[in-house]
Amino acid sequence: MSELLNLSMTRRKFLGVSAAGASVFVLGMSLPSCRSASRNGNEAVINAFIGIDVNGRVIFQNPFIEMGQGTYTSIPAIVAEELDIDMAMLEVVQAPHGPDYRIMFNNTTRFTGGSLSVRSSYMTMRKAGATARAMLIKAAVDLWGVQPNECTTEPGAVVLTASGQKLTYGQLAPLAAKLEPPTDVPLKDSASFRLIGKPVKRTDSLSKANGTAEFGMDVNVDGLLHAAVKQAPVFGGSVKSYDKNAVINLPGVVAVEEIPNGVAVIADHYWHAKTALEQLPVTFDDGANSGFSSKAYLEKLKSVLDEPGVTAENVGDAVKALSKAKKKIEAEYHAPFLAHQTMEPMNCTALVTKDQCKVWAPNQGADFVATVAAEITGLKLDAIEVITPFLGGGFGRRFIMDYAIQAVTLAKKHPGKPIKVIWSREEDTQHDHYRPMTAAKYRAGFDAQGNAIALHITTAGEGPMGRLNPSFLKNPDIDESIFEGGAHQPYSLPNKRTDVVNVPVKPVPIGYWRSVGNSQNCFFKESFIDEMAHAVAADPVEFRRKLLAEQPRFKKVLDTAVDMAGWKSKSWQDEKGVKHAMGVALHESFGSIVAQVAEVTLNEDGDINVARVWCAVDCGFAVNPAIVRMQMESGIAFGLSAAMAEEITLEQGRVIQTNFDSYPILRPDQMPDVEVEIINSGEALGGIGEPGTPPIAPAVCNALFLLSGQRVRSLPLSQYSF
């Protein structure tokens, strides 16, 4: 197991490690597909760094953060494969913010999300490792006076083939670091992989198990102060008044400060800050959103489902085909606002001085943190240092910088004093950036033989991309994050149309939630495909297979899952009289195809139990099969939790839910047994962090229909009586 350093290093620090006594030699390289390297003396401006000390220890600066999804294992393993080292020789550190590490979207940005980390960097990281290996071989060639083809490598050493003579990477690194990096190097043949495609053990497990891993909540620096915050209960509200004199003399209290949309108490310990905050007299101005309710917003969504909106997909003439269909069905679906409920609440530590700002922020985009810190402090970006600890869950929530803004704002008011902001669970639940509430209407038509001939979808809501990242939109009139996973589905119908009606929900902060629009649209789509199958008395699996006749890759994933499960299209009773049924769902998201079959039981009291889930996934190629399985299991747990009981509701502009008692998440005893099979199709790499989430809700709900005869068209399941 490799030693893992979960810290960020500035480029200057990394290059200067040798001067600190560690004798680390930096192999500078311009990563292929990244910004070109420039030279300043002997230092290369690079996008990633591979450092090797005299003992052969390799330090790898990872451009992606670790929030449980395995990037501190899978990405270093890609580098280690081509560099030819064992994982035990690696230390992983977090790359700092800055343009040298923006290796995504034509080197314009870097973040950890969208299930992009491995698939967006796979070739770049392979070439990085191969380039470093070539430089080490060249250093050995120069020493031995031989030709490159007379040398090979074994983990951590260059070998002279004829004699078996060896030079370790540690011995060669000082010479290799002085060489000009080659512009093009050959990559390994996949047949010789030792690490890629293998279940490499995670590099972060040991530190997390023994408690040495540092999360944001663990950050502790000299002179640290703590801040507890209270924000306006209505979004868009503001502080009207507060009486700091009522608490300023309480134990440990240092200051009471106003922050954007709220107030904060700063104290020597968090408990002192929190207890003082609870006693602080504060009055808020509710602002313009005090009349908002999620119930009224849902009614507004439902009221526009017959409007044309903007057409996002149009094949054939669905409206005309529906008008002539021999049989027609339609259904309306709804999905609620959802919170992220990361196990680690929002927190951030900041230190501001005259010349520098240092921020310890669990985040999904270090550049985003640096940008807001620079804006608040007035410092230049090169005076900002962002340290990214481990994340106790991200799920899209830590793209939003509100918690970091608060910490930097407070630290600026108290220069030289490091201040850690910690949100209570109640603040976290009631001031999230929620998955949007959406509604959809599905209409299908069949010919006289029961063949599906038309599908018309209308989706209503507001997507997070249009609000948060409008520059990412391909068409400014259509926010794909509303309808993704509904349109452009693999099922072959001669007439398909998807309309989108934008219904802004400005009184509510919305954001990215694991699998984004796929989470609700897969529920809508796969539930309705089941309804279509039952409308013509077809087995739901056979019905899907027929519609996938021209999609062999999708069909293989579906067939794999149903074969794993031993598919049963009818419900049955076990020897104890408990009813069982299976439901199925198939979905593509983030370039990966996932099929799931859920076995569900329903007892006499109407209690739902998801007993087993069979999951087949085609992500092109599994770089680390063990992590792929973990992420499928994790995605299933996340999606099942939301389907069972999660819901955010607002009344009078306020979020009603406060903590896990009113926003329950999946308990360990509710987690089904999960079996995962990976299909290596050889197609382009797909994402893994999110695709396991969307299919579980419709798979469970389709099984519940067989058990109860009741269609679930609105989540969560806790609102139903079966």
Side-chain angles (χ1 to χ4, degrees), residues 514 596-601 608-615 629-642 644 646 665-676 692-693 696 700:
R514 192 173 187 173
Q596 292 172 8
V597 175
E599 180 183 335
V600 182
T601 66
I608 302 166
N609 177 52
V610 182
R612 296 188 68 184
V613 175
W614 295 267
C615 174
R629 289 188 174 89
M630 291 174 189
Q631 285 301 289
M632 288 298 106
E633 294 167 351
S634 169
I636 287 167
F638 199 80
L640 181 58
S641 180
M644 294 291 281
E646 293 184 30
I665 63 172
L666 195 72
R667 303 189 309 269
D669 65 335
Q670 293 176 303
M671 182 64 189
D673 292 329
V674 177
E675 183 179 340
V676 178
T693 294
I696 186 62
V700 169

mmCIF file of all heavy atoms in Angstrom, residues 514 596-601 608-615 629-642 644 646 665-676 692-693 696 700:
data_model
loop_
_atom_site.group_PDB
_atom_site.id
_atom_site.type_symbol
_atom_site.label_atom_id
_atom_site.label_comp_id
_atom_site.label_asym_id
_atom_site.label_seq_id
_atom_site.Cartn_x
_atom_site.Cartn_y
_atom_site.Cartn_z
ATOM 1 N N ARG A 514 -25.911 14.290 -7.901
ATOM 2 C CA ARG A 514 -25.316 13.099 -8.519
ATOM 3 C C ARG A 514 -26.161 12.539 -9.676
ATOM 4 O O ARG A 514 -27.260 12.043 -9.457
ATOM 5 C CB ARG A 514 -25.100 12.020 -7.459
ATOM 6 C CG ARG A 514 -24.235 10.859 -7.914
ATOM 7 C CD ARG A 514 -23.951 9.940 -6.751
ATOM 8 N NE ARG A 514 -22.984 8.902 -7.097
ATOM 9 C CZ ARG A 514 -22.468 8.043 -6.207
ATOM 10 N NH1 ARG A 514 -22.794 8.133 -4.928
ATOM 11 N NH2 ARG A 514 -21.602 7.125 -6.589
ATOM 12 N N GLN A 596 -30.177 -2.396 -14.525
ATOM 13 C CA GLN A 596 -30.361 -2.926 -13.173
ATOM 14 C C GLN A 596 -31.681 -3.674 -13.065
ATOM 15 O O GLN A 596 -32.697 -3.239 -13.628
ATOM 16 C CB GLN A 596 -30.319 -1.790 -12.144
ATOM 17 C CG GLN A 596 -28.952 -1.142 -12.016
ATOM 18 C CD GLN A 596 -28.934 0.102 -11.152
ATOM 19 O OE1 GLN A 596 -29.922 0.429 -10.502
ATOM 20 N NE2 GLN A 596 -27.818 0.812 -11.155
ATOM 21 N N VAL A 597 -31.624 -4.778 -12.364
ATOM 22 C CA VAL A 597 -32.829 -5.525 -11.997
ATOM 23 C C VAL A 597 -32.914 -5.523 -10.483
ATOM 24 O O VAL A 597 -31.945 -5.886 -9.800
ATOM 25 C CB VAL A 597 -32.790 -6.970 -12.531
ATOM 26 C CG1 VAL A 597 -33.999 -7.753 -12.034
ATOM 27 C CG2 VAL A 597 -32.740 -6.976 -14.057
ATOM 28 N N ALA A 598 -34.044 -5.091 -9.956
ATOM 29 C CA ALA A 598 -34.243 -5.037 -8.507
ATOM 30 C C ALA A 598 -35.289 -6.062 -8.098
ATOM 31 O O ALA A 598 -36.362 -6.146 -8.717
ATOM 32 C CB ALA A 598 -34.697 -3.646 -8.078
ATOM 33 N N GLU A 599 -34.964 -6.840 -7.087
ATOM 34 C CA GLU A 599 -35.949 -7.751 -6.493
ATOM 35 C C GLU A 599 -36.502 -7.082 -5.236
ATOM 36 O O GLU A 599 -35.748 -6.745 -4.319
ATOM 37 C CB GLU A 599 -35.320 -9.092 -6.133
ATOM 38 C CG GLU A 599 -36.323 -10.066 -5.510
ATOM 39 C CD GLU A 599 -35.695 -11.381 -5.088
ATOM 40 O OE1 GLU A 599 -34.641 -11.752 -5.670
ATOM 41 O OE2 GLU A 599 -36.241 -12.024 -4.165
ATOM 42 N N VAL A 600 -37.810 -6.884 -5.228
ATOM 43 C CA VAL A 600 -38.471 -6.123 -4.166
ATOM 44 C C VAL A 600 -39.498 -7.006 -3.486
ATOM 45 O O VAL A 600 -40.170 -7.821 -4.135
ATOM 46 C CB VAL A 600 -39.153 -4.864 -4.754
ATOM 47 C CG1 VAL A 600 -39.813 -4.039 -3.653
ATOM 48 C CG2 VAL A 600 -38.134 -4.012 -5.516
ATOM 49 N N THR A 601 -39.618 -6.851 -2.167
ATOM 50 C CA THR A 601 -40.660 -7.563 -1.428
ATOM 51 C C THR A 601 -41.598 -6.559 -0.780
ATOM 52 O O THR A 601 -41.219 -5.416 -0.487
ATOM 53 C CB THR A 601 -40.060 -8.468 -0.333
ATOM 54 O OG1 THR A 601 -39.434 -7.659 0.658
ATOM 55 C CG2 THR A 601 -39.059 -9.438 -0.923
ATOM 56 N N ILE A 608 -41.810 -1.898 2.286
ATOM 57 C CA ILE A 608 -41.016 -2.194 1.095
ATOM 58 C C ILE A 608 -39.619 -2.621 1.504
ATOM 59 O O ILE A 608 -38.983 -1.999 2.356
ATOM 60 C CB ILE A 608 -40.921 -0.946 0.195
ATOM 61 C CG1 ILE A 608 -42.310 -0.471 -0.216
ATOM 62 C CG2 ILE A 608 -40.055 -1.220 -1.035
ATOM 63 C CD1 ILE A 608 -42.308 0.925 -0.814
ATOM 64 N N ASN A 609 -39.141 -3.674 0.884
ATOM 65 C CA ASN A 609 -37.756 -4.091 1.090
ATOM 66 C C ASN A 609 -37.143 -4.419 -0.271
ATOM 67 O O ASN A 609 -37.682 -5.227 -1.022
ATOM 68 C CB ASN A 609 -37.679 -5.326 1.993
ATOM 69 C CG ASN A 609 -36.239 -5.816 2.143
ATOM 70 O OD1 ASN A 609 -35.354 -5.048 2.488
ATOM 71 N ND2 ASN A 609 -36.017 -7.090 1.859
ATOM 72 N N VAL A 610 -36.047 -3.754 -0.583
ATOM 73 C CA VAL A 610 -35.309 -4.077 -1.801
ATOM 74 C C VAL A 610 -34.262 -5.106 -1.401
ATOM 75 O O VAL A 610 -33.277 -4.785 -0.731
ATOM 76 C CB VAL A 610 -34.663 -2.826 -2.415
ATOM 77 C CG1 VAL A 610 -33.946 -3.185 -3.717
ATOM 78 C CG2 VAL A 610 -35.716 -1.756 -2.672
ATOM 79 N N ALA A 611 -34.499 -6.344 -1.800
ATOM 80 C CA ALA A 611 -33.674 -7.444 -1.318
ATOM 81 C C ALA A 611 -32.373 -7.575 -2.080
ATOM 82 O O ALA A 611 -31.297 -7.741 -1.484
ATOM 83 C CB ALA A 611 -34.460 -8.754 -1.412
ATOM 84 N N ARG A 612 -32.453 -7.502 -3.413
ATOM 85 C CA ARG A 612 -31.252 -7.695 -4.228
ATOM 86 C C ARG A 612 -31.314 -6.796 -5.451
ATOM 87 O O ARG A 612 -32.390 -6.469 -5.951
ATOM 88 C CB ARG A 612 -31.127 -9.160 -4.679
ATOM 89 C CG ARG A 612 -30.933 -10.160 -3.558
ATOM 90 C CD ARG A 612 -30.633 -11.552 -4.109
ATOM 91 N NE ARG A 612 -29.324 -11.612 -4.760
ATOM 92 C CZ ARG A 612 -28.855 -12.694 -5.393
ATOM 93 N NH1 ARG A 612 -29.603 -13.800 -5.460
ATOM 94 N NH2 ARG A 612 -27.653 -12.681 -5.951
ATOM 95 N N VAL A 613 -30.141 -6.435 -5.919
ATOM 96 C CA VAL A 613 -30.029 -5.676 -7.168
ATOM 97 C C VAL A 613 -28.916 -6.300 -7.997
ATOM 98 O O VAL A 613 -27.813 -6.535 -7.499
ATOM 99 C CB VAL A 613 -29.711 -4.185 -6.912
ATOM 100 C CG1 VAL A 613 -29.488 -3.448 -8.236
ATOM 101 C CG2 VAL A 613 -30.833 -3.519 -6.123
ATOM 102 N N TRP A 614 -29.244 -6.573 -9.245
ATOM 103 C CA TRP A 614 -28.252 -7.054 -10.194
ATOM 104 C C TRP A 614 -27.964 -5.913 -11.159
ATOM 105 O O TRP A 614 -28.880 -5.313 -11.719
ATOM 106 C CB TRP A 614 -28.764 -8.267 -10.958
ATOM 107 C CG TRP A 614 -28.998 -9.458 -10.088
ATOM 108 C CD1 TRP A 614 -28.122 -10.467 -9.815
ATOM 109 C CD2 TRP A 614 -30.205 -9.794 -9.370
ATOM 110 N NE1 TRP A 614 -28.693 -11.403 -8.972
ATOM 111 C CE2 TRP A 614 -29.975 -11.012 -8.691
ATOM 112 C CE3 TRP A 614 -31.460 -9.174 -9.240
ATOM 113 C CZ2 TRP A 614 -30.939 -11.619 -7.901
ATOM 114 C CZ3 TRP A 614 -32.418 -9.776 -8.454
ATOM 115 C CH2 TRP A 614 -32.165 -10.982 -7.789
ATOM 116 N N CYS A 615 -26.702 -5.636 -11.361
ATOM 117 C CA CYS A 615 -26.296 -4.456 -12.131
ATOM 118 C C CYS A 615 -25.261 -4.845 -13.172
ATOM 119 O O CYS A 615 -24.231 -5.451 -12.843
ATOM 120 C CB CYS A 615 -25.725 -3.395 -11.181
ATOM 121 S SG CYS A 615 -25.020 -1.946 -11.994
ATOM 122 N N ARG A 629 -17.017 -1.426 -9.434
ATOM 123 C CA ARG A 629 -18.042 -2.118 -8.627
ATOM 124 C C ARG A 629 -18.441 -1.274 -7.418
ATOM 125 O O ARG A 629 -19.619 -1.165 -7.087
ATOM 126 C CB ARG A 629 -17.514 -3.485 -8.184
ATOM 127 C CG ARG A 629 -17.403 -4.489 -9.316
ATOM 128 C CD ARG A 629 -17.068 -5.901 -8.817
ATOM 129 N NE ARG A 629 -17.119 -6.846 -9.917
ATOM 130 C CZ ARG A 629 -16.091 -7.143 -10.707
ATOM 131 N NH1 ARG A 629 -14.904 -6.573 -10.477
ATOM 132 N NH2 ARG A 629 -16.226 -7.997 -11.690
ATOM 133 N N MET A 630 -17.451 -0.690 -6.752
ATOM 134 C CA MET A 630 -17.754 0.164 -5.598
ATOM 135 C C MET A 630 -18.661 1.318 -5.996
ATOM 136 O O MET A 630 -19.606 1.661 -5.272
ATOM 137 C CB MET A 630 -16.453 0.727 -5.002
ATOM 138 C CG MET A 630 -15.554 -0.280 -4.321
ATOM 139 S SD MET A 630 -13.993 0.519 -3.830
ATOM 140 C CE MET A 630 -13.029 -0.899 -3.329
ATOM 141 N N GLN A 631 -18.365 1.928 -7.136
ATOM 142 C CA GLN A 631 -19.159 3.072 -7.560
ATOM 143 C C GLN A 631 -20.556 2.683 -8.001
ATOM 144 O O GLN A 631 -21.512 3.448 -7.816
ATOM 145 C CB GLN A 631 -18.429 3.826 -8.664
ATOM 146 C CG GLN A 631 -17.265 4.656 -8.170
ATOM 147 C CD GLN A 631 -17.710 5.697 -7.150
ATOM 148 O OE1 GLN A 631 -18.366 6.675 -7.483
ATOM 149 N NE2 GLN A 631 -17.372 5.475 -5.889
ATOM 150 N N MET A 632 -20.711 1.505 -8.576
ATOM 151 C CA MET A 632 -22.063 1.040 -8.893
ATOM 152 C C MET A 632 -22.856 0.824 -7.597
ATOM 153 O O MET A 632 -24.017 1.229 -7.483
ATOM 154 C CB MET A 632 -22.002 -0.265 -9.696
ATOM 155 C CG MET A 632 -21.524 -0.108 -11.128
ATOM 156 S SD MET A 632 -22.593 0.947 -12.143
ATOM 157 C CE MET A 632 -21.577 2.416 -12.266
ATOM 158 N N GLU A 633 -22.231 0.202 -6.616
ATOM 159 C CA GLU A 633 -22.896 -0.012 -5.329
ATOM 160 C C GLU A 633 -23.238 1.318 -4.674
ATOM 161 O O GLU A 633 -24.344 1.505 -4.140
ATOM 162 C CB GLU A 633 -21.992 -0.843 -4.414
ATOM 163 C CG GLU A 633 -21.754 -2.259 -4.897
ATOM 164 C CD GLU A 633 -20.631 -2.970 -4.163
ATOM 165 O OE1 GLU A 633 -19.919 -2.302 -3.377
ATOM 166 O OE2 GLU A 633 -20.443 -4.173 -4.391
ATOM 167 N N SER A 634 -22.284 2.246 -4.702
ATOM 168 C CA SER A 634 -22.507 3.562 -4.114
ATOM 169 C C SER A 634 -23.634 4.303 -4.818
ATOM 170 O O SER A 634 -24.495 4.910 -4.178
ATOM 171 C CB SER A 634 -21.209 4.368 -4.199
ATOM 172 O OG SER A 634 -21.416 5.722 -3.883
ATOM 173 N N GLY A 635 -23.626 4.280 -6.156
ATOM 174 C CA GLY A 635 -24.678 4.954 -6.912
ATOM 175 C C GLY A 635 -26.046 4.375 -6.637
ATOM 176 O O GLY A 635 -27.046 5.100 -6.560
ATOM 177 N N ILE A 636 -26.110 3.055 -6.491
ATOM 178 C CA ILE A 636 -27.377 2.398 -6.174
ATOM 179 C C ILE A 636 -27.867 2.827 -4.799
ATOM 180 O O ILE A 636 -29.053 3.130 -4.605
ATOM 181 C CB ILE A 636 -27.210 0.864 -6.261
ATOM 182 C CG1 ILE A 636 -27.096 0.445 -7.741
ATOM 183 C CG2 ILE A 636 -28.369 0.137 -5.580
ATOM 184 C CD1 ILE A 636 -26.624 -0.974 -7.945
ATOM 185 N N ALA A 637 -26.960 2.868 -3.821
ATOM 186 C CA ALA A 637 -27.346 3.312 -2.475
ATOM 187 C C ALA A 637 -27.861 4.743 -2.504
ATOM 188 O O ALA A 637 -28.883 5.064 -1.869
ATOM 189 C CB ALA A 637 -26.150 3.201 -1.528
ATOM 190 N N PHE A 638 -27.178 5.609 -3.243
ATOM 191 C CA PHE A 638 -27.558 7.018 -3.313
ATOM 192 C C PHE A 638 -28.932 7.181 -3.963
ATOM 193 O O PHE A 638 -29.793 7.901 -3.455
ATOM 194 C CB PHE A 638 -26.495 7.774 -4.108
ATOM 195 C CG PHE A 638 -26.491 9.258 -3.887
ATOM 196 C CD1 PHE A 638 -25.892 9.812 -2.768
ATOM 197 C CD2 PHE A 638 -27.063 10.115 -4.807
ATOM 198 C CE1 PHE A 638 -25.870 11.186 -2.565
ATOM 199 C CE2 PHE A 638 -27.049 11.491 -4.622
ATOM 200 C CZ PHE A 638 -26.449 12.025 -3.495
ATOM 201 N N GLY A 639 -29.131 6.506 -5.092
ATOM 202 C CA GLY A 639 -30.411 6.620 -5.796
ATOM 203 C C GLY A 639 -31.559 5.969 -5.054
ATOM 204 O O GLY A 639 -32.683 6.478 -5.062
ATOM 205 N N LEU A 640 -31.283 4.841 -4.401
ATOM 206 C CA LEU A 640 -32.330 4.166 -3.641
ATOM 207 C C LEU A 640 -32.750 4.994 -2.438
ATOM 208 O O LEU A 640 -33.941 5.078 -2.103
ATOM 209 C CB LEU A 640 -31.839 2.787 -3.199
ATOM 210 C CG LEU A 640 -32.825 1.934 -2.404
ATOM 211 C CD1 LEU A 640 -34.111 1.700 -3.192
ATOM 212 C CD2 LEU A 640 -32.187 0.604 -2.005
ATOM 213 N N SER A 641 -31.787 5.624 -1.778
ATOM 214 C CA SER A 641 -32.106 6.478 -0.642
ATOM 215 C C SER A 641 -33.064 7.592 -1.054
ATOM 216 O O SER A 641 -34.064 7.857 -0.382
ATOM 217 C CB SER A 641 -30.819 7.073 -0.067
ATOM 218 O OG SER A 641 -31.091 7.902 1.047
ATOM 219 N N ALA A 642 -32.748 8.239 -2.172
ATOM 220 C CA ALA A 642 -33.619 9.310 -2.655
ATOM 221 C C ALA A 642 -35.001 8.789 -2.996
ATOM 222 O O ALA A 642 -36.013 9.427 -2.690
ATOM 223 C CB ALA A 642 -32.980 9.978 -3.876
ATOM 224 N N MET A 644 -36.596 6.215 -1.792
ATOM 225 C CA MET A 644 -37.366 5.717 -0.655
ATOM 226 C C MET A 644 -38.003 6.838 0.160
ATOM 227 O O MET A 644 -39.187 6.766 0.494
ATOM 228 C CB MET A 644 -36.463 4.874 0.246
ATOM 229 C CG MET A 644 -35.956 3.593 -0.390
ATOM 230 S SD MET A 644 -37.240 2.352 -0.647
ATOM 231 C CE MET A 644 -37.393 1.689 1.001
ATOM 232 N N GLU A 646 -36.407 10.582 0.449
ATOM 233 C CA GLU A 646 -35.833 11.925 0.453
ATOM 234 C C GLU A 646 -36.713 12.920 -0.305
ATOM 235 O O GLU A 646 -37.205 12.639 -1.394
ATOM 236 C CB GLU A 646 -34.433 11.901 -0.173
ATOM 237 C CG GLU A 646 -33.417 11.127 0.658
ATOM 238 C CD GLU A 646 -32.020 11.193 0.074
ATOM 239 O OE1 GLU A 646 -31.691 12.203 -0.564
ATOM 240 O OE2 GLU A 646 -31.257 10.226 0.246
ATOM 241 N N ILE A 665 -32.172 9.282 5.358
ATOM 242 C CA ILE A 665 -31.406 8.659 4.284
ATOM 243 C C ILE A 665 -31.363 7.149 4.518
ATOM 244 O O ILE A 665 -31.727 6.659 5.586
ATOM 245 C CB ILE A 665 -29.987 9.243 4.175
ATOM 246 C CG1 ILE A 665 -29.187 8.973 5.449
ATOM 247 C CG2 ILE A 665 -30.052 10.731 3.870
ATOM 248 C CD1 ILE A 665 -27.715 9.352 5.332
ATOM 249 N N LEU A 666 -30.925 6.429 3.514
ATOM 250 C CA LEU A 666 -30.932 4.967 3.550
ATOM 251 C C LEU A 666 -30.123 4.447 4.731
ATOM 252 O O LEU A 666 -28.973 4.832 4.935
ATOM 253 C CB LEU A 666 -30.345 4.436 2.241
ATOM 254 C CG LEU A 666 -30.588 2.959 1.917
ATOM 255 C CD1 LEU A 666 -32.041 2.749 1.523
ATOM 256 C CD2 LEU A 666 -29.663 2.505 0.788
ATOM 257 N N ARG A 667 -30.734 3.570 5.502
ATOM 258 C CA ARG A 667 -30.053 2.936 6.624
ATOM 259 C C ARG A 667 -29.293 1.702 6.141
ATOM 260 O O ARG A 667 -29.655 1.101 5.119
ATOM 261 C CB ARG A 667 -31.046 2.525 7.703
ATOM 262 C CG ARG A 667 -31.914 3.637 8.254
ATOM 263 C CD ARG A 667 -32.704 3.134 9.463
ATOM 264 N NE ARG A 667 -33.401 1.891 9.182
ATOM 265 C CZ ARG A 667 -34.659 1.804 8.711
ATOM 266 N NH1 ARG A 667 -35.352 2.918 8.468
ATOM 267 N NH2 ARG A 667 -35.212 0.636 8.488
ATOM 268 N N PRO A 668 -28.273 1.268 6.883
ATOM 269 C CA PRO A 668 -27.541 0.059 6.475
ATOM 270 C C PRO A 668 -28.440 -1.161 6.316
ATOM 271 O O PRO A 668 -28.223 -1.977 5.408
ATOM 272 C CB PRO A 668 -26.527 -0.134 7.614
ATOM 273 C CG PRO A 668 -26.282 1.250 8.120
ATOM 274 C CD PRO A 668 -27.618 1.949 8.016
ATOM 275 N N ASP A 669 -29.466 -1.287 7.172
ATOM 276 C CA ASP A 669 -30.327 -2.465 7.064
ATOM 277 C C ASP A 669 -31.293 -2.388 5.881
ATOM 278 O O ASP A 669 -32.000 -3.354 5.585
ATOM 279 C CB ASP A 669 -31.108 -2.686 8.366
ATOM 280 C CG ASP A 669 -32.087 -1.558 8.663
ATOM 281 O OD1 ASP A 669 -31.875 -0.426 8.188
ATOM 282 O OD2 ASP A 669 -33.087 -1.822 9.367
ATOM 283 N N GLN A 670 -31.332 -1.256 5.203
ATOM 284 C CA GLN A 670 -32.164 -1.126 4.011
ATOM 285 C C GLN A 670 -31.380 -1.342 2.723
ATOM 286 O O GLN A 670 -31.965 -1.373 1.644
ATOM 287 C CB GLN A 670 -32.796 0.277 3.969
ATOM 288 C CG GLN A 670 -33.805 0.554 5.067
ATOM 289 C CD GLN A 670 -34.305 1.986 5.008
ATOM 290 O OE1 GLN A 670 -33.518 2.936 5.067
ATOM 291 N NE2 GLN A 670 -35.613 2.160 4.878
ATOM 292 N N MET A 671 -30.073 -1.484 2.848
ATOM 293 C CA MET A 671 -29.233 -1.634 1.659
ATOM 294 C C MET A 671 -29.337 -3.051 1.113
ATOM 295 O O MET A 671 -29.123 -4.022 1.836
ATOM 296 C CB MET A 671 -27.779 -1.316 1.999
ATOM 297 C CG MET A 671 -26.832 -1.405 0.816
ATOM 298 S SD MET A 671 -27.200 -0.180 -0.456
ATOM 299 C CE MET A 671 -26.120 -0.740 -1.774
ATOM 300 N N PRO A 672 -29.685 -3.187 -0.156
ATOM 301 C CA PRO A 672 -29.803 -4.534 -0.731
ATOM 302 C C PRO A 672 -28.438 -5.151 -1.019
ATOM 303 O O PRO A 672 -27.411 -4.456 -1.078
ATOM 304 C CB PRO A 672 -30.554 -4.270 -2.038
ATOM 305 C CG PRO A 672 -30.177 -2.874 -2.416
ATOM 306 C CD PRO A 672 -30.042 -2.129 -1.111
ATOM 307 N N ASP A 673 -28.427 -6.456 -1.205
ATOM 308 C CA ASP A 673 -27.246 -7.118 -1.751
ATOM 309 C C ASP A 673 -27.138 -6.712 -3.220
ATOM 310 O O ASP A 673 -28.134 -6.711 -3.949
ATOM 311 C CB ASP A 673 -27.379 -8.639 -1.643
ATOM 312 C CG ASP A 673 -27.348 -9.124 -0.204
ATOM 313 O OD1 ASP A 673 -26.686 -8.472 0.621
ATOM 314 O OD2 ASP A 673 -27.990 -10.146 0.094
ATOM 315 N N VAL A 674 -25.947 -6.364 -3.643
ATOM 316 C CA VAL A 674 -25.739 -5.888 -5.006
ATOM 317 C C VAL A 674 -24.696 -6.754 -5.693
ATOM 318 O O VAL A 674 -23.616 -6.997 -5.144
ATOM 319 C CB VAL A 674 -25.283 -4.412 -5.031
ATOM 320 C CG1 VAL A 674 -25.005 -3.959 -6.465
ATOM 321 C CG2 VAL A 674 -26.336 -3.519 -4.383
ATOM 322 N N GLU A 675 -25.024 -7.204 -6.873
ATOM 323 C CA GLU A 675 -24.094 -7.963 -7.698
ATOM 324 C C GLU A 675 -23.837 -7.164 -8.971
ATOM 325 O O GLU A 675 -24.777 -6.721 -9.629
ATOM 326 C CB GLU A 675 -24.678 -9.334 -8.036
ATOM 327 C CG GLU A 675 -23.753 -10.224 -8.838
ATOM 328 C CD GLU A 675 -24.361 -11.586 -9.136
ATOM 329 O OE1 GLU A 675 -25.305 -11.983 -8.416
ATOM 330 O OE2 GLU A 675 -23.900 -12.239 -10.097
ATOM 331 N N VAL A 676 -22.567 -6.971 -9.296
ATOM 332 C CA VAL A 676 -22.190 -6.139 -10.438
ATOM 333 C C VAL A 676 -21.392 -6.957 -11.440
ATOM 334 O O VAL A 676 -20.479 -7.698 -11.063
ATOM 335 C CB VAL A 676 -21.358 -4.924 -9.988
ATOM 336 C CG1 VAL A 676 -20.922 -4.086 -11.202
ATOM 337 C CG2 VAL A 676 -22.125 -4.061 -8.995
ATOM 338 N N GLY A 692 -24.487 4.765 -11.960
ATOM 339 C CA GLY A 692 -25.187 3.750 -11.169
ATOM 340 C C GLY A 692 -26.429 4.269 -10.481
ATOM 341 O O GLY A 692 -27.288 3.482 -10.058
ATOM 342 N N THR A 693 -26.566 5.590 -10.371
ATOM 343 C CA THR A 693 -27.677 6.178 -9.620
ATOM 344 C C THR A 693 -29.017 6.162 -10.360
ATOM 345 O O THR A 693 -30.044 5.781 -9.779
ATOM 346 C CB THR A 693 -27.322 7.618 -9.200
ATOM 347 O OG1 THR A 693 -26.233 7.573 -8.270
ATOM 348 C CG2 THR A 693 -28.497 8.324 -8.553
ATOM 349 N N ILE A 696 -31.913 2.826 -10.520
ATOM 350 C CA ILE A 696 -32.446 2.078 -9.376
ATOM 351 C C ILE A 696 -33.876 2.479 -9.036
ATOM 352 O O ILE A 696 -34.708 1.612 -8.726
ATOM 353 C CB ILE A 696 -31.512 2.203 -8.143
ATOM 354 C CG1 ILE A 696 -31.991 1.304 -7.008
ATOM 355 C CG2 ILE A 696 -31.393 3.645 -7.684
ATOM 356 C CD1 ILE A 696 -31.990 -0.176 -7.350
ATOM 357 N N VAL A 700 -36.983 -0.308 -9.042
ATOM 358 C CA VAL A 700 -37.757 -0.617 -7.828
ATOM 359 C C VAL A 700 -39.240 -0.329 -8.044
ATOM 360 O O VAL A 700 -40.112 -1.132 -7.684
ATOM 361 C CB VAL A 700 -37.213 0.193 -6.631
ATOM 362 C CG1 VAL A 700 -38.157 0.108 -5.438
ATOM 363 C CG2 VAL A 700 -35.820 -0.295 -6.254
#
